[in-house]
Amino acid sequence: DAGEVWRLKRDEAWHPKTKEEQPHAGHRKRVQEKFLKKGLDGFEPHEVLEFVLFFAIPRGDTNELAHRLIGRFGSVSGVFDAPYEELLKIRGVGRITALLLKLLPALCRYYYEDSHKGKIRICEVGDAAEILKHKYIGRTNEVVVLLLLDSQSRVLLCDVVNEGNVNSAPVYVRRIVELAVRYNASAAILSHNHPSGSPVPSRGDIDATVEVFQALKAVNVPLRDHLIFGDQDYVSLSHLGILKDLMNPF
């Protein structure tokens, strides 16, 4: 792929194409200028995707492919969330294009976390939900995330501790305890997502919460809450009162 891109650039440099040979060059320039002036405001969904595809497909019309992708996966976010292997099945999508589409949601997560590093204080459950929900952007599998706080409720750590079913608590409980001790945490908040969409806690979720609570209690780190995220909402186990003997609501 890299060799082919290099050859394309070399050929274009030595043999630049005329305007007649570049029917889409003017359109690409207009789209780029529109973005520089207004960002993505005013872009239609297919135009957002068309613009993104410019960076994977150096020449030619990406509008048709953008429509094809949205038609298959339903939305721009659906395209970004689609498995890499499924993207490759779409006519016109190669390895580089599929990699770019999978990179974007991960880049959004990274940007948010990096820009808020050391600036967030958790004073209520909504504050915790606001930072944790961004960890699930583009995730199609179940992921367990640990949030550690210092004595002033500032975020020390917000990171993935397990990829897979939350019920496999023995797999990640030791790591949670190690991180809590390493960061000298004063409190912890656990979270995971339900890719199926509903944030309603299962019996396994509750059992895993109790196991994590007991493990952290042994190192004097209270577990303040366990948040479960669905497609559009989340639930707080402490606010539900299911484990009122273990956790007090914010």
Side-chain angles (χ1 to χ4, degrees), residues 35-87:
F35 171 75
L36 290 174
K37 288 179 181 178
K38 299 182 178 180
L40 292 177
D41 295 337
F43 275 64
E44 294 294 327
H46 73 275
E47 292 176 322
V48 172
L49 203 51
E50 177 187 9
F51 183 35
V52 168
L53 293 170
F54 287 176
F55 300 95
I57 303 172
R59 291 192 294 270
D61 182 14
T62 59
N63 183 281
E64 182 181 345
L65 179 55
H67 279 286
R68 194 179 305 137
L69 284 163
I70 291 176
R72 169 64 178 82
F73 299 110
S75 64
V76 173
S77 59
V79 172
F80 293 158
D81 289 344
Y84 175 79
E85 294 76 13
E86 291 300 311
L87 289 169

Side-chain angles (χ1 to χ4, degrees), residues 138-179:
R139 306 277 192 189
T140 55
N141 58 322
E142 193 164 305
V143 171
V144 180
V145 176
L146 177 66
L147 182 63
L148 295 177
L149 308 177
D150 68 8
S151 59
Q152 298 182 50
S153 296
R154 292 175 301 198
V155 175
L156 293 170
L157 173 78
C158 183
D159 205 2
V160 173
V161 292
N162 188 64
E163 295 196 32
N165 198 299
V166 72
N167 299 340
S168 58
V171 175
Y172 58 84
V173 166
R174 176 181 289 184
R175 175 162 170 76
I176 286 176
V177 172
E178 288 175 350
L179 288 169

Side-chain angles (χ1 to χ4, degrees), residues 187-205:
I189 297 172
L190 191 67
S191 79
H192 77 281
N193 61 324
H194 282 175
S196 61
S198 172
V200 176
S202 66
R203 182 70 250 178
D205 294 337

